[in-house]
Amino acid sequence: MLSMMGLVGGLVLLIVFTIRGMNLFIAAPLCALVVALTNGMSVFIGDINFVETYMSGFSGFIAAWFFMFLLGALFGKFMEDSGAADSVSRWIIQRIGYKQAVLAVVLACAILTYGGVSVFVVAFSVYPMAVSLFKDANLPRRFIPAAMAFGSVTFTMTSAGSPEIQNWIPIKYLGTSPFAAWEVSLVVAIFMAVLGYWWLAKMIRKAIANGEEFEARITDPEIRERDYPHPLTGIIPLLVVLCISFFLHEALAQLALIVALGGGVLTLLIINRAHFHNLQAAINTGTTGALVAIGNTAAVVGFGAIAKNTEAFQQTVALMTQIPGNELIGAAIAISVIAGLTGSASGGQAIALPLLAPHYLDQGVQPEQLHRIVSISSGALDSLPHNGYVVTTIRAICHETHKAAYGAVAALTVVVPVIGLALAIGLFSVF
């Protein structure tokens, strides 16, 4: 009982601290210490102690994914600094029209995310354009985080072929490819895109009917005028990333992502070299951003490493793996709960798969089906209030409060993926 109270209490504290804006480098280990002490874990001494266990989870995640985060951040910053990301966004908006502001924001985020740009960089890149669009259309600005999150971390992030690491981590444990179960993934992605956009549009129409409108702020970003490159110079590097990952994933598995992102970075440097605003600053900012992004994720993974060694966690996992009926349901629940516990889709996968993959493979679950279920389910409950992307997008980028913006974000990034997950399980059960 004390073990379960400590585990749940530590998670609640982590959610509260992150909502209040506490740095994850402080909040995560502090909450992990609460979990450790309530489970009788020594701080410094013993085979399993707090310091070594936390740092093992922290450093292990960095060792496994550092180059992916680094190259992904550099790719995103180069897209931003060269104006390629803005050029692609403007091209989409010109084709769709300013009246379709919400659709334009969602599509801009979706294309950049599926092209391999980090979801954090996509948020920073698209936000100025989103503010301008919502202002021209007089739409309530509190829905900007939901529109950007929907386009970034739902139907694109966990779909077959996506270069995002949430689609690549399972490869290491299942021996699959990033295109695993692409037929079902395509159906689910289209379903989530249609359902989510309909729901988002409905929420915005209801808010407008209640008298809400756009409220300008003195802190709103201004889109500086510059000589933008042709949109193709932003699309070609995205295609390079996708093509390299497609042709090399069988030979190199998850390491193909390093080559793919490296190819995208070099392509950007070559075709957009004349359009860089400040290349050295982009390199420095991208590198720092990579360290912050992977550090924040690793800090939460460290919390998960402590949680993983508690009696309550082991009992919970054992209970979930014994759920009768379809094994994919048990896997989906297990991954969702652990991703929610850690507040990270990638972190939740890194903790759960070493424990769960062998179990479900031994039960005869097809690796391709398990890969897709793991990927989709990791992108559901991970978007609880303490998720790093959610906190950064709502507070740091959009300058909103959780009270005003999180309801719509939760509907689109938690509820819609859960429904999509149920659809995927149903399709796998039928075919």
Side-chain angles (χ1 to χ4, degrees), residues 11-36:
L11 176 60
V12 171
L13 277 178
L14 181 58
I15 293 175
V16 171
F17 286 157
T18 49
I19 287 177
R20 291 175 176 265
M22 180 180 288
N23 191 301
L24 282 175
F25 287 103
I26 303 298
L30 183 61
C31 295
L33 181 60
V34 172
V35 175

Side-chain angles (χ1 to χ4, degrees), residues 14-193:
L14 181 58
I15 293 175
V16 171
F17 286 157
T18 49
I19 287 177
R20 291 175 176 265
M22 180 180 288
N23 191 301
L24 282 175
F25 287 103
I26 303 298
L30 183 61
C31 295
L33 181 60
V34 172
V35 175
L37 293 177
T38 54
N39 279 271
M41 186 182 297
S42 171
V43 178
F44 301 108
I45 304 171
D47 294 335
I48 300 179
N49 62 71
F50 167 75
V51 174
E52 291 185 1
T53 302
Y54 183 88
M55 290 310 302
S56 176
F58 185 96
S59 60
F61 185 83
I62 291 178
W65 296 100
F66 172 74
F67 285 113
M68 285 76 161
F69 272 81
L70 176 62
L71 290 171
L74 288 176
F75 182 71
K77 286 305 297 182
F78 285 3
M79 285 282 289
E80 177 186 348
D81 192 76
S82 66
D86 285 340
S87 182
V88 172
S89 299
R90 285 170 175 259
W91 180 80
I92 294 171
I93 292 164
Q94 289 171 358
R95 295 299 181 276
I96 295 177
Y98 279 86
K99 292 183 178 180
Q100 299 294 331
V102 178
L103 181 60
V105 172
V106 171
L107 283 179
C109 291
I111 291 174
L112 293 174
T113 303
Y114 198 79
V117 182
S118 166
V119 293
F120 290 94
V121 175
V122 170
F124 278 107
S125 177
V126 175
Y127 174 66
M129 195 73 63
V131 171
S132 176
L133 286 169
F134 270 59
K135 180 179 180 179
D136 290 343
N138 195 27
L139 303 177
R141 64 182 304 146
R142 67 183 179 92
F143 290 100
I144 292 178
M148 295 197 304
F150 174 59
S152 300
V153 301
T154 56
F155 61 94
T156 52
M157 184 181 76
T158 60
S159 294
S162 172
E164 301 295 333
I165 63 171
Q166 291 80 3
N167 184 47
W168 283 72
I169 292 178
I171 297 173
K172 176 180 179 181
Y173 303 96
L174 301 174
T176 49
S177 83
F179 299 91
W182 67 268
E183 302 92 339
V184 168
S185 177
L186 179 61
V187 173
V188 173
I190 293 174
F191 171 80
M192 287 198 294

Side-chain angles (χ1 to χ4, degrees), residues 3 25 33 41 75 92-94 102 115 122 141 192 209 213 228 243 252 273 302 304 306 317 319 321 331 354 395 402:
S3 175
F25 287 103
L33 181 60
M41 186 182 297
F75 182 71
I92 294 171
I93 292 164
Q94 289 171 358
V102 178
V122 170
R141 64 182 304 146
M192 287 198 294
E213 56 185 18
Y228 287 101
C243 289
L252 299 179
R273 61 185 181 277
I306 295 295
V317 171
L319 179 63
T321 55
R395 293 190 174 274
H402 272 66

